[in-house]
Amino acid sequence: FNSLNHDMTLPEFKFIWYMEYSHRMWGRAVGLAYILPAAYFWRRGWLSRPLKGCVLALCGLVCFQGLLGWYMVKSGLEEKPDSYDIPRVSQYRLAAHLGSALVLYSASLWTGLSLLLPQHKLPETKQLLRLRQYAHGTTALIFLTALSGAFVAGLDAGLVYNSFPKMGERWIPDDLLAFSPVLRNIFENPTTVQFDHRILGIASVTAVTALYLFSRKIPLPRRTRMAVTSLLAVACVQ
């Protein structure tokens, strides 16, 4: 309000306030929904020693995620006397907040599925080993793509170009490397950030498709085949 939106009405402010408040309350509810049952199971002796380590690590991630959220929001409230741009949080902190949320979600899901579903005992063939390596590589690529999306959001980079597959009239825009030093462009130039996100998104879909096609050549359990097919479907929808 002080730096840009002088004409904001009270109802408009309340909308933003309640969005943030609801997000905080939801995050705290998630923390309680995890920590309270975990403490109960621990006290009743229902957790094995390895599982206790997982529970403590996930509990630490839950707390760390909340701390990162506070640290991210704080960057959007800092006074910047030399800037007349739209107030926004740091894209670096936003990416860290999203990245830790993805790690927390994935670790929770992996732990839960490991307890619910028995592990398949498959012969360690060369093809299966390659499939596992491809799956791990695809996971890393998808994670990187999601993080690049946080930089797009943090810089409002989606507003720079809204045509696809070209960016405006060009395949490679003129201002792709406008910042100096060059490395700054990857994290702070809205054009470069959007360009990278497009490339990573296309690469992710390609990698998922290749993983699916490769998996069709290997005899796999029904559950594994369903997982790979679901991954392809979600990638296409995304």
Side-chain angles (χ1 to χ4, degrees):
F1 181 86
N2 289 332
S3 55
L4 192 70
N5 300 308
H6 305 294
D7 57 344
M8 178 182 283
T9 63
L10 185 59
E12 287 173 334
F13 171 77
K14 283 183 176 181
F15 175 77
I16 296 174
W17 191 91
Y18 278 117
M19 286 282 286
E20 173 65 18
Y21 182 75
S22 301
H23 182 66
R24 291 184 185 203
M25 291 300 107
W26 186 260
R28 289 167 185 170
V30 168
L32 290 175
Y34 173 77
I35 292 171
L36 292 180
Y40 176 75
F41 297 153
W42 189 300
R43 186 174 178 81
R44 294 299 297 266
W46 293 350
L47 303 178
S48 64
R49 189 166 183 176
L51 195 55
K52 284 181 178 179
C54 289
V55 166
L56 287 175
L58 289 171
C59 182
L61 273 173
V62 169
C63 298
F64 179 67
Q65 174 67 5
L67 184 66
L68 262 183
W70 165 80
Y71 185 61
M72 178 193 72
V73 171
K74 185 174 180 290
S75 68
L77 301 175
E78 291 170 352
E79 292 290 340
K80 302 178 182 71
D82 300 328
S83 174
Y84 299 96
D85 195 7
I86 298 171
R88 56 166 64 92
V89 299
S90 162
Q91 68 271 26
Y92 297 100
R93 299 185 192 185
L94 179 60
H97 190 49
L98 176 65
S100 65
L102 287 172
V103 170
L104 172 60
Y105 178 78
S106 301
S108 300
L109 186 64
W110 185 272
T111 304
L113 290 177
S114 298
L115 294 170
L116 292 171
L117 302 174
Q119 188 175 1
H120 285 299
K121 299 296 182 183
L122 300 175
E124 289 291 330
T125 62
K126 272 189 176 181
Q127 283 186 317
L128 190 64
L129 184 62
R130 283 179 62 194
L131 180 67
R132 188 178 287 121
Q133 290 171 342
Y134 285 170
H136 290 161
T138 303
T139 301
L141 182 59
I142 292 170
F143 182 75
L144 187 62
T145 304
L147 285 190
S148 74
F151 281 90
V152 172
L155 292 170
D156 282 339
L159 304 177
V160 181
Y161 292 97
N162 58 7
S163 55
F164 187 86
K166 290 185 177 181
M167 298 179 74
E169 297 298 319
R170 293 177 168 273
W171 290 101
I172 300 177
D174 293 332
D175 53 342
L176 190 67
L177 299 175
F179 290 14
S180 182
V182 175
L183 191 62
R184 254 187 78 203
N185 290 279
I186 298 174
F187 305 107
E188 298 180 14
N189 184 339
T191 298
T192 313
V193 166
Q194 191 194 134
F195 181 81
D196 291 344
H197 188 58
R198 290 178 180 219
I199 299 300
L200 286 167
I202 294 168
S204 293
V205 174
T206 304
V208 170
T209 305
L211 181 70
Y212 171 78
L213 294 175
F214 182 61
S215 72
R216 301 294 293 177
K217 301 177 181 178
I218 306 173
L220 294 171
R222 181 173 174 271
R223 197 172 74 206
T224 309
R225 199 164 294 287
M226 283 177 60
V228 177
T229 305
S230 300
L231 178 64
L232 178 63
V234 171
C236 292
V237 170
Q238 176 71 1

